[in-house]
Amino acid sequence: MTVATPDLLALSDKELLQRHNEGDADAFGELFRRHKDRMWAVALRTVRDPEIAADAVQDGFINAFRRAGSFRGDAAVTTWLHRIVVNAALDRVRRIKPTADLADHDPVEPRDHHRSVEVRLDVREALEQLPEGQRMALVLVDMHGLSVAEAARVLEVAEGTVKSRCARGRAAMAQLLEPA
C-alpha cells in the first residue's frame, strides 16, 4: 500500500482531481484512500450485499478514474463520486437475477422469508419500471435517507425537481404495487 506524500495530503479533492487530470500518477490514489470507506458504505446501503458492494465500489472508482476529465467542478468531488458509485451499484443489481438471498436475514425477528423475497422482488421490479430520474430520487431519498438537498446535489438537479420526482415516483410505485 502506498502512502500519500505530504504534498498530496494538503490538497483539496478538487485539486487532487485536477492533478490526476494533469498526469499525476498518485493523485487519484489519494482520492481513493480518502473516500473508499464512505463509498463502500454508500454501495453497501444500495445493494445490501458486501460482495456486490465491493464490486460496485471498484467499478465506480474505475469509472471515476476514466471520466475524471468530465468533472465540471459544480459539485463537491464526494458528491460526484457518490453518484458514480450509486450508479455502479444499481448497474450491478440490474445484472443480477433475483434470488432468495434478497431476503432479510434478521435472526432476532422471525419472518416469512418467502413473502419477504416476494415483496422485495415486486418492489425491485416496480422500481425498474420507473423513469431513471424518479428511480434515482426515490433510491437516494427513501432508501438511503439523504435529504432532498443532498439528493439534489448528487443528481445535479434543483431541490424542487427531486421533490417532484419523488412524489411522481411514489405515486407510480403505489399503482405498480397495488394488488391485482
Side-chain angles (χ1 to χ4, degrees), residues 132-157:
E132 179 83 11
Q134 291 177 15
R135 181 175 55 250
M136 290 299 297
L138 284 177
V139 167
L140 293 174
V141 174
D142 291 349
M143 295 179 180
H144 291 292
L146 268 63
S147 70
V148 169
E150 291 170 320
R153 283 192 298 276
V154 169
L155 298 173
E156 299 176 346
V157 298

Side-chain angles (χ1 to χ4, degrees), residues 35-99:
H35 302 295
K36 68 182 186 304
D37 292 338
R38 182 175 179 194
M39 294 306 123
W40 160 256
V42 165
L44 189 58
R45 282 194 315 267
T46 303
V47 298
R48 301 188 71 187
D49 180 298
E51 288 181 34
I52 298 170
D55 290 342
V57 169
Q58 180 177 332
D59 293 349
F61 272 103
I62 289 170
N63 289 338
F65 182 89
R66 290 179 179 159
R67 296 188 317 193
S70 70
F71 177 72
R72 296 188 313 252
D74 299 340
V77 173
T78 53
T79 301
W80 178 72
L81 286 171
H82 189 284
R83 182 176 189 187
I84 291 172
V85 170
V86 167
N87 285 338
L90 293 174
D91 286 344
R92 284 263 168 196
V93 169
R94 284 185 203 111
R95 289 183 283 196
I96 296 172
K97 292 185 179 181
T99 66

